[in-house]
């Protein structure tokens, strides 16, 4: 191994001598480089090479190259680059090739090589790198796209880019992303050739030798790609994505007409087709400027456009009464409703249309959970009390297992202060299993705190903590302790804690809450804190390293604390904790001892 490393170091001697001779490095720096490189080379010659060793080697070489570039700029010396930089760059390429050959699955390593080539203007290498990369990672569409984009934008070779796209489609016959970018590439190529021909015509140059084909210039190749794409991939959304790409180019009118015609004939029953047709009404040309002068005229014109748009949606819903179709209609109505306007008539019409859409979708049993939430939210913003109560009731009847909708209904009723809350709570509890009812108990005790007396609230808490489900019971014990402290002070909180600290199941938060309450007192007693920590550790000492650390910190920082107790606490922690918890405790305890925690 030593002779191989020595040979590689000797191979560097000429470039290092040149660097010293021309003043880019000092003799001391050359010796440091040789020492560092020797260490790195030995690591690369181990029987089992680590990836990090390769990365360190590459990083050092790249940094050396960057240093040489800065030194050249500083002294203004730009000769002998072939004898210095060229040699280093070639060495980096070889190191990258060895690394990517050994760790072929690491895409970031390949991308780093590409990035290095771009930075140091090694364009001839990038095509080779992508070729090798695609041989290994042909299953990743993004890699094909990067390679094709490089050929088109940097190598200026539409032919090579097209070849890569065609190869990509053999592996990914149903990749919408590849088809979309292939379609875009052909249009970009046509646009580029059109601009080149215009420049040549302006310069009155001979177009005969340029070889511009009219079929390419008008986008016929893009048309071929489009027709192949829609044969391979079905769906109006994909169709529309190709149409939006075609609209980016001003010479694709005929192609756009073809795409639109195919969309209407092939996907007449697709919600996205109807959505597109309706939105086209909003994008239609405005009135002539003479008739479009006043704000009222603009509002009237927009009113007509939105009316036509709405009629298309309504026509669609007659034959396509589905959730996706209703969702698209409501999304459109809501977008228009959110748009600002000074016209009261337009604003009123948008509001009526939106809430009418919500109601009709509900009546058709096509309103989703998300849309019910939106409907309730919009009604709350307007303060329509009767409508809110009605919509909430409809929502929970349709989605009786939705915690979000029941929460929204109950919280809404609490805000409105209606009298039917107790009945709604009873109804809600019927629809949820015990393990899923924690949120209902939380809202119910909140309601009791606001509207009922302390005795009724405490009775409700006592009922909640004995629910035979650990999630509900532990949560309500935490809230019971918090309520006791807020409503009746420290003595009541301590009494509640004393009555519950042996009543399992318990949570760590329960004990932490009592510790926090004790610390908030004017005269905190360390004896009480020890009791709370000891009880908490009895329950959670095997899984909570932070609890042990907090206990130790309390002994160190409290005026009544005993630092001599820290040793036994540490010993107990090491005995009880297991696995990663031990490592976490040891590292944090070390930081605590050094004053960094």
């Amino acid at each position: 191994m030593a002779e191989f490393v020595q040979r590689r170091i000797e191979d560097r001697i000429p470039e290092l001598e040149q660097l010293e001779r021309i003043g880019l490095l000092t003799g001391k720096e050359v010796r440091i480089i040789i020492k560092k490189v020797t260490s790195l080379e030995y690591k690369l010659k181990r029987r089992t090479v680590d990836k990090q060793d390769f990365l360190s080697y590459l990083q050092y070489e790249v940094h050396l190259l960057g240093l040489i570039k800065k030194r050249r700029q500083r002294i203004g010396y730009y000769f002998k680059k072939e004898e210095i930089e060229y040699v280093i760059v070639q060495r980096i390429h070889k190191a990258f090739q060895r690394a990517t050959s050994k760790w072929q699955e690491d895409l970031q390593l390949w991308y780093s090589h590409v990035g290095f080539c771009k930075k140091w203007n090694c364009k001839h290498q990038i095509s080779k790198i992508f070729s090798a990369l695609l041989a290994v990672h042909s299953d990743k569409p993004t890699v094909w796209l990067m390679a094709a984009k490089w050929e088109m934008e940097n190598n200026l070779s539409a032919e090579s880019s097209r070849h890569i796209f065609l190869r990509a489609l053999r592996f990914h016959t149903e990749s919408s992303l590849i088809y979309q970018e292939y379609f875009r590439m052909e249009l970009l190529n046509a646009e580029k050739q059109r601009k080149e021909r215009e420049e040549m015509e302006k310069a009155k140059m001979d177009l005969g030798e340029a070889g511009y084909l009219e079929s390419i210039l008008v986008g016929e190749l893009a048309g071929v790609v489009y027709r192949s794409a829609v044969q391979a991939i079905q769906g109006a959304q994909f169709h529309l994505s190709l149409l939006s790409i075609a609209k980016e180019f001003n010479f694709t009118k005929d192609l756009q007409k073809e795409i639109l015609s195919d969309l209407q004939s092939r996907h007449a029953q697709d919600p996205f087709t109807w959505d597109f047709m309706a939105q086209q009404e909003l994008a239609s040309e405005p009135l002539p400027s003479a008739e479009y002068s006043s704000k009222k005229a603009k509002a009237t014109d927009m009113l007509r456009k939105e009316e036509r748009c709405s009629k298309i949606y309504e026509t669609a819903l007659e034959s396509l009464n589905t959730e996706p179709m209703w969702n698209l209609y409501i999304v459109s109505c809501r977008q228009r409703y959110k748009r600002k306007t000074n016209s009261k008539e337009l604003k009123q019409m948008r509001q009526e249309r939106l809430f009418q859409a919500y109601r009709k979708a509900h009546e058709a049993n096509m309103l989703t959970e998300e849309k019910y939430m939106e409907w309730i939210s919009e009604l709350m913003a307007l303060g329509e009390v009767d409508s809110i109560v009605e919509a909430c009731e409809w929502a929970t009847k349709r989605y009786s297992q939705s915690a979000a909708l029941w929460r929204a209904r109950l919280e809404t009723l609490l805000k409105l202060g209606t009298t039917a809350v107790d009945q709604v709570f009873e109804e809600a509890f019927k629809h949820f299993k015990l393990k899923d009812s924690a949120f209902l108990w939380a809202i119910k005790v909140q309601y009791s705190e606001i509207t009922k007396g302390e005795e009724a609230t405490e009775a409700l808490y006592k009922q909640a903590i004995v629910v035979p489900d650990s999630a509900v019971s532990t949560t309500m014990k935490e809230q019971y302790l918090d309520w006791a402290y807020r409503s009746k002070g420290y003595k009541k909180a301590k009494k509640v804690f004393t009555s519950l600290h042996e009543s399992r199941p318990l949570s760590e938060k329960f004990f932490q809450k009592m510790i926090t309450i004790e610390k908030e007192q004017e005269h905190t007693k360390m004896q009480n804190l020890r009791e709370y920590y000891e009880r908490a550790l009895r329950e959670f000492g095997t899984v909570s390293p932070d609890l042990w650390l907090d206990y130790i910190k309390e002994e160190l920082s409290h005026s009544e604390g005993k630092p001599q107790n820290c040793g036994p606490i540490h010993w107990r922690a090491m005995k009880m904790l297991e696995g990663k918890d031990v490592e976490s405790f040891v590292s944090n305890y070390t930081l605590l001892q050094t004053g960094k925690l």
Side-chain angles (χ1 to χ4, degrees):
M1 183 171 73
E3 59 268 24
F4 287 111
V5 173
Q6 190 61 36
R7 185 188 302 167
R8 290 182 64 81
I9 298 301
E10 288 172 2
D11 291 340
R12 291 173 179 265
I13 298 299
E15 75 201 53
L16 292 171
E17 287 178 347
Q18 287 283 17
L19 286 165
E20 186 178 359
R21 189 179 301 117
I22 61 181
L24 293 176
L25 291 175
T26 63
K28 184 179 178 182
E29 287 173 332
V30 169
R31 288 191 291 276
I32 291 171
I33 289 171
I34 291 173
K35 185 177 179 181
K36 179 65 177 176
V37 166
T38 302
S39 172
L40 292 170
E41 290 284 1
Y42 268 111
K43 288 180 181 178
L44 296 189
K45 285 295 178 183
R46 290 173 180 167
R47 183 167 294 176
T48 55
V49 185
D50 187 60
K51 190 196 296 184
Q52 189 56 47
D53 294 334
F54 258 105
L55 294 176
S56 299
Y57 179 86
L58 287 164
Q59 188 179 42
Y60 189 79
E61 292 284 19
V62 171
H63 285 173
L64 177 60
L65 207 53
L67 176 66
I68 293 168
K69 183 179 180 180
K70 287 180 181 178
R71 295 266 175 101
R72 281 188 182 279
Q73 290 172 347
R74 191 176 68 189
I75 67 175
Y77 186 88
Y78 299 100
F79 302 102
K80 298 187 179 293
K81 284 191 175 184
E82 287 189 6
E83 299 174 28
I84 301 171
E85 280 93 337
Y86 177 78
V87 177
I88 298 173
V89 166
Q90 292 304 309
R91 190 161 55 239
I92 291 171
H93 282 316
K94 288 177 181 178
F96 265 121
Q97 286 163 7
R98 285 179 63 194
T100 52
S101 176
K102 191 171 183 63
W103 295 283
Q104 294 181 345
E105 73 288 347
D106 189 344
L107 275 173
Q108 194 55 50
L109 204 54
W110 291 94
Y111 294 157
S112 297
H113 194 185
V114 172
F116 171 76
C117 292
K118 287 180 179 178
K119 184 176 181 180
W120 293 97
N121 201 29
C122 306
K123 293 182 179 180
H124 62 285
Q125 284 280 348
I126 295 180
S127 295
K128 295 178 183 177
I129 296 168
F130 274 124
S131 180
L133 176 56
L134 289 171
V136 179
H137 291 284
S138 58
D139 60 321
K140 296 178 176 62
T142 50
V143 176
W144 289 99
L145 293 181
M146 287 176 66
K149 187 178 179 183
W150 165 259
E151 293 295 342
M152 183 66 188
E153 295 180 3
N154 299 87
N155 266 3
L156 305 177
S157 173
E159 190 63 38
S160 297
S161 181
R162 186 179 299 118
H163 181 64
I164 289 172
F165 274 119
L166 290 170
R167 285 178 59 205
L169 289 171
R170 291 179 199 165
F171 291 93
H172 305 279
T173 54
E174 296 182 357
S175 171
S176 58
L177 185 62
I178 289 176
Y179 270 116
Q180 286 164 356
E181 293 307 315
Y182 185 16
F183 183 62
R184 192 193 305 276
M185 185 279 291
E186 290 294 1
L187 290 172
L188 284 168
N189 182 43
E191 185 180 51
K192 175 189 164 191
Q193 290 196 23
R194 289 170 74 91
K195 287 180 179 178
E196 286 175 359
R197 189 176 71 169
E198 285 175 13
E199 294 296 325
M200 291 179 72
E201 285 174 348
K202 285 179 184 178
K204 297 181 179 179
M205 296 173 65
D206 182 17
L207 297 176
E209 296 181 1
Y212 294 118
L213 297 174
E214 191 63 27
S215 58
I216 293 178
L217 295 174
V218 298
E220 279 190 16
L221 276 178
V224 171
V225 175
Y226 155 71
R227 285 182 280 277
S228 299
V230 295
Q231 287 290 333
I233 303 172
Q234 301 299 315
Q237 277 185 293
F238 177 67
H239 223 109
L240 288 167
S241 70
L242 296 179
L243 181 59
S244 66
I245 293 170
K247 283 184 175 180
E248 296 172 14
F249 302 88
N250 57 13
F251 58 90
T252 60
K253 299 295 183 186
D254 292 338
L255 183 56
Q256 288 179 44
K257 287 178 183 176
E258 181 185 350
I259 296 173
L260 195 55
S261 174
D262 288 348
L263 177 68
Q264 293 171 328
S265 62
R266 295 185 184 194
H267 306 290
Q269 293 302 305
D270 193 303
F272 290 100
T273 301
W274 286 101
D275 181 57
F276 173 76
M277 300 303 294
Q279 294 301 315
Q280 287 296 100
E281 291 297 330
L282 298 175
S284 60
E285 292 294 324
L287 292 170
S289 56
E291 302 175 33
Y292 207 67
S293 54
S294 68
K295 290 182 179 178
K296 187 176 180 181
K298 290 179 183 178
T300 304
D301 182 48
M302 183 53 69
L303 201 62
R304 283 198 296 265
K305 286 181 180 179
E306 291 185 10
E307 187 65 36
R308 291 198 300 270
C309 172
S310 181
K311 282 182 179 177
I312 291 174
Y313 278 116
E314 288 168 5
T315 303
L317 287 164
E318 289 175 7
S319 60
L320 201 64
N321 189 18
T322 62
E323 271 190 13
M325 191 70 247
W326 278 107
N327 282 349
L328 290 169
Y329 182 29
I330 291 170
V331 166
S332 175
C333 291
R334 196 160 183 256
Q335 285 174 348
R336 305 311 298 178
Y337 176 65
K338 293 292 183 183
R339 289 175 71 92
K340 292 183 179 179
T341 178
N342 293 324
S343 171
K344 290 182 180 179
E345 183 185 1
L346 185 57
K347 192 172 183 178
Q348 182 63 29
M349 183 57 71
R350 287 172 175 173
Q351 181 178 313
E352 288 176 7
R353 187 174 289 123
L354 174 63
F355 289 110
Q356 191 178 42
Y358 280 127
R359 186 175 286 270
K360 284 184 177 180
H362 158 71
E363 290 170 355
N365 285 329
M366 293 297 170
L367 201 59
T368 63
E369 183 180 340
E370 180 190 356
K371 296 304 173 193
Y372 271 116
M373 292 291 288
E374 282 180 10
W375 189 9
I376 295 165
S377 175
E378 297 294 352
L379 288 169
M380 286 290 288
L382 291 176
E384 298 281 349
V385 176
D386 293 338
S387 297
I388 294 167
V389 173
E390 196 175 43
C392 286
E393 185 178 350
W394 289 339
T396 50
K397 278 184 179 177
R398 175 82 197 280
Y399 297 99
S400 60
Q401 300 296 312
S402 170
L405 285 174
W406 278 107
R407 182 188 295 277
R409 183 180 178 185
L410 289 164
E411 289 178 350
T412 301
L413 293 176
L414 290 179
K415 286 178 185 176
L416 298 175
T418 57
T419 57
V421 179
D422 288 322
Q423 294 176 357
V424 176
F425 271 118
E426 287 180 20
E427 185 185 348
F429 275 109
K430 292 176 184 177
H431 293 286
F432 290 93
K433 295 178 181 178
L434 282 176
K435 64 178 182 178
D436 302 319
S437 64
F439 80 99
L440 289 175
W441 285 103
I443 299 171
K444 192 169 184 179
V445 295
Q446 179 190 351
Y447 166 65
S448 182
E449 286 179 30
I450 296 169
T451 61
K452 300 181 180 179
E454 290 181 354
E455 287 185 13
T457 302
E458 186 163 14
L460 186 60
Y461 271 118
K462 287 180 178 178
Q463 182 186 349
I465 62 177
V466 295
V467 170
D469 180 78
S470 58
V472 176
S473 181
T474 53
T475 303
M476 297 317 297
K477 283 170 186 172
E478 294 163 18
Q479 292 192 18
Y480 184 19
L481 182 61
D482 181 59
W483 170 81
Y485 181 59
R486 284 187 288 107
S487 62
K488 295 186 177 180
Y490 173 74
K491 287 185 178 179
K492 178 63 177 176
K494 191 169 182 182
K495 185 178 178 182
V496 169
F497 177 80
T498 303
S499 68
L500 295 178
H501 62 63
E502 295 289 351
S503 177
R504 295 176 182 82
L506 296 165
S507 67
E508 190 178 338
K509 284 184 181 179
F510 176 75
F511 292 100
Q512 292 284 11
K513 183 64 187 175
M514 193 61 221
I515 290 167
T516 303
I517 290 170
E518 183 68 42
K519 287 182 179 180
E520 288 176 359
Q521 305 313 302
E522 188 175 352
H523 301 292
T524 306
K525 293 182 179 179
M526 188 63 203
Q527 183 180 352
N528 290 343
L529 288 174
R530 283 195 192 100
E531 179 194 346
Y532 305 147
Y533 274 114
E534 289 294 342
R535 290 189 179 280
L537 290 169
R538 199 179 303 162
E539 302 289 334
F540 305 101
T542 57
V543 293
S544 180
D546 291 339
L547 200 57
W548 291 101
L549 285 166
D550 290 342
Y551 191 8
I552 290 170
K553 282 191 275 187
E554 208 66 61
E555 290 286 9
L556 292 171
S557 61
H558 198 280
S559 58
E560 297 176 9
K562 296 180 180 179
Q564 61 268 30
N565 288 350
C566 295
I569 294 171
H570 178 273
W571 181 82
R572 286 167 58 201
M574 294 295 290
K575 195 173 180 181
M576 289 184 73
L577 292 168
E578 296 176 358
K580 291 183 179 180
D581 291 331
V582 176
E583 295 174 19
S584 174
F585 174 75
V586 169
S587 61
N588 286 323
Y589 183 71
T590 305
L591 291 172
L592 180 64
Q593 286 183 310
T594 56
K596 293 181 180 179
L597 186 66

